[in-house]
Amino acid sequence: MPDKASILLAHGSSDPNWLAPFDQLVLQIRDQLHQERVELAYMELADPSLEHSIRQLADQGYRHIDVLPLFFAAGRHLRKDVPAMLDKLQQQLASSGKQLTLELHQPIGLEPEMASAISQVVVRKLS
Amino acid sequence: MPDKASILLAHGSSDPNWLAPFDQLVLQIRDQLHQERVELAYMELADPSLEHSIRQLADQGYRHIDVLPLFFAAGRHLRKDVPAMLDKLQQQLASSGKQLTLELHQPIGLEPEMASAISQVVVRKLS
């Protein structure tokens, strides 16, 4: 079994209409990344939480987890709360014998493909 | 003067780190859409607000305003709060002699270019 898994982290909402497109997206991505385990988790207001997903993957033997935020930009959540939570969780898991690498990536909104897609949509819709 | 303008609506944050990429984005989009007036506004926690931007464009003579949400998905804000605010504002402006068309588009996250860009980023970063 490969020991590497990924979590796509979305903000979350109490509104199921908000959540639905993310389910579609993760299906599409799993299709293209079939060699990897890819999960979807939420920062707040929806399940599963990031912590729950990481613990579950750790229990299943995964030892390197990439966390990729589906956010446009990084505010307090991604710059403070999430790194602090990941540090604490990594220590807790290590003390129960699970040495994990948790790699928090920058939000996808900061990647060039996203700026380009946003511009394309705006130009198409407003031209 | 053309009577059509556009507002890119982002969520907003009290964190300037979160806001910065949107400023970059609007510059890039203005460059590609030079025939149109394009503004950036925020739903909450940052200025200018959507209402402020619309009133300003209305005062300047614009009579058709496209509002394009830079959101991944539509939750309560975009399905209830924003349409209610736009209706009320449109009535207020009409009663002061400014007949505006305010067109609220679906969030850009639901457009195919975005799903495709997100998949590309995920595959590139996690492969």
Side-chain angles (χ1 to χ4, degrees):
Chain A
M1 193 184 91
D3 80 338
K4 211 172 162 187
S6 304
I7 297 175
L8 305 179
L9 176 66
H11 185 278
S13 166
S14 54
D15 186 334
N17 291 289
W18 191 91
L19 302 176
F22 291 96
D23 291 328
Q24 281 304 311
L25 190 66
V26 78
L27 291 177
Q28 180 177 335
I29 286 167
R30 275 190 192 130
D31 221 42
Q32 292 176 41
L33 262 183
H34 39 81
Q35 78 283 21
E36 295 221 34
R37 173 83 178 262
V38 183
E39 300 296 327
L40 180 63
Y42 296 101
M43 184 104 74
E44 61 186 27
L45 302 172
D47 290 322
S49 70
L50 178 57
E51 179 170 345
H52 176 88
S53 295
I54 291 172
R55 286 187 184 279
Q56 195 167 52
L57 291 167
D59 286 346
Q60 293 168 2
Y62 290 95
R63 290 295 175 262
H64 183 114
I65 302 175
D66 287 290
V67 178
L68 197 56
L70 302 180
F71 282 67
F72 283 106
R76 183 180 47 79
H77 276 322
L78 287 177
R79 294 187 308 110
K80 303 210 167 150
D81 303 346
V82 174
M85 190 278 271
L86 292 180
D87 280 351
K88 194 175 153 193
L89 185 56
Q90 196 171 31
Q91 285 170 29
Q92 285 174 2
L93 289 166
S95 73
S96 65
K98 293 168 190 149
Q99 299 287 349
L100 258 72
T101 303
L102 301 177
E103 189 175 348
L104 178 63
H105 295 263
Q106 71 168 359
I108 59 160
L110 302 178
E111 303 294 339
E113 293 93 332
M114 292 290 289
S116 164
I118 294 170
S119 298
Q120 279 169 40
V121 172
V122 174
V123 170
R124 172 169 63 78
K125 299 203 67 136
L126 302 182
S127 284
Chain B
M1 194 185 88
D3 80 339
K4 211 172 163 187
S6 303
I7 297 174
L8 305 179
L9 176 66
H11 184 279
S13 166
S14 54
D15 186 334
N17 291 288
W18 191 91
L19 302 176
F22 291 97
D23 291 328
Q24 281 304 310
L25 191 67
V26 78
L27 290 178
Q28 180 177 336
I29 287 167
R30 275 189 191 132
D31 222 43
Q32 292 175 41
L33 261 182
H34 39 82
Q35 79 282 19
E36 295 221 33
R37 172 84 177 261
V38 183
E39 299 296 328
L40 179 63
Y42 297 99
M43 184 104 72
E44 60 187 26
L45 302 171
D47 290 322
S49 70
L50 179 57
E51 178 169 346
H52 176 89
S53 294
I54 291 172
R55 286 186 183 279
Q56 196 167 52
L57 290 168
D59 285 346
Q60 292 168 2
Y62 291 95
R63 290 295 175 262
H64 183 113
I65 301 174
D66 287 290
V67 178
L68 197 55
L70 302 181
F71 282 66
F72 283 106
R76 183 180 49 79
H77 276 322
L78 286 177
R79 292 188 309 109
K80 302 209 166 150
D81 303 346
V82 174
M85 189 278 273
L86 293 180
D87 279 352
K88 193 175 153 193
L89 185 56
Q90 196 170 33
Q91 285 170 29
Q92 285 174 2
L93 290 167
S95 74
S96 66
K98 294 168 190 151
Q99 300 287 348
L100 257 72
T101 303
L102 301 177
E103 189 175 350
L104 179 62
H105 295 263
Q106 71 168 0
I108 59 159
L110 302 177
E111 303 293 340
E113 292 95 329
M114 291 290 288
S116 164
I118 294 170
S119 297
Q120 279 169 40
V121 172
V122 174
V123 171
R124 172 168 64 76
K125 300 205 65 134
L126 303 182
S127 285

